């Protein structure tokens, strides 16, 4: 399994608004794009991770949606990157706006989630 670094697309690499159509993509979020470019400069396999290409999403062709994100990559990162919605054991680190970091093998959570858990009724 080859090692790779994953970056979520919407709200992590590119701005997103709920009003967006599935074919609309946002503007680059500079700190994340800069971080991604550091990995590329070090030779890492960097992949865009997005549910936008999940089968059946808004009844659009996932290959077409993937091509839109690839165009965004060429424009804002300078090259086409792999776009996936599949994690595997090669994933080294994952940047995502919805993730909660959990300490391995202990369940301890990094950061304060009290507001989020209150909103979710946990
Ligand atoms: Mg996101």
């Amino acid at each position: 399994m080859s090692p790779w670094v994953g970056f979520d697309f919407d709200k992590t690499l590119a701005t997103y608004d709920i009003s967006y159509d599935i074919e609309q993509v946002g503007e680059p979020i500079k700190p994340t794009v800069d971080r991604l470019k550091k990995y590329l400069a070090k030779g890492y396999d960097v992949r865009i991770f997005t549910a936008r290409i999940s089968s059946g999403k808004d009844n659009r062709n996932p290959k077409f949606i993937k091509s839109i994100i690839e165009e965004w990559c060429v424009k804002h990162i300078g090259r086409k990157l792999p776009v996936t919605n599949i994690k595997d054991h090669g994933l080294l680190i994952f940047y995502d706006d919805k993730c909660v970091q959990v300490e391995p093998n202990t369940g301890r959570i990094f950061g304060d989630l009290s507001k989020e858990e209150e909103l979710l009724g946990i």
Side-chain angles (χ1 to χ4, degrees):
M1 197 71 57
S2 62
W4 59 284
V5 175
F7 280 83
D8 170 55
F9 189 71
D10 292 307
K11 297 184 181 178
T12 299
L13 263 179
T15 56
Y16 178 82
D17 185 85
I18 193 72
S19 66
Y20 283 10
D21 181 83
I22 188 72
E23 295 179 18
Q24 278 182 279
V25 289
E27 292 301 312
I29 298 171
K30 191 175 183 322
T32 315
V33 170
D34 289 348
R35 183 167 284 110
L36 184 156
K37 287 179 175 176
K38 285 184 184 176
Y39 282 102
L40 288 177
K42 290 285 185 182
Y44 284 97
D45 173 358
V46 177
R47 305 178 192 176
I48 308 297
F49 193 90
T50 179
R52 281 185 183 238
I53 60 167
S54 297
S55 169
K57 174 74 176 161
D58 292 354
N59 294 320
R60 304 295 173 87
N61 181 337
K63 284 184 181 172
F64 176 62
I65 301 302
K66 185 184 269 192
S67 73
I68 292 171
I69 295 171
E70 286 171 344
E71 282 175 28
W72 186 97
C73 287
V74 169
K75 182 175 179 184
H76 298 293
I77 294 168
R79 69 166 107 161
K80 195 186 287 188
L81 294 174
V83 180
T84 187
N85 61 352
I86 298 171
K87 287 195 336 187
D88 61 33
H89 291 290
L91 180 60
L92 295 171
I93 189 166
F94 181 45
Y95 293 87
D96 184 275
D97 62 287
K98 291 184 180 176
C99 278
V100 173
Q101 186 176 8
V102 180
E103 184 177 62
N105 297 322
T106 71
R108 189 170 74 82
I109 301 232
F110 292 93
D112 177 12
L113 288 179
S114 54
K115 287 181 186 169
E116 290 81 358
E117 289 183 340
E118 187 178 330
L119 284 171
L120 296 170
I122 302 296

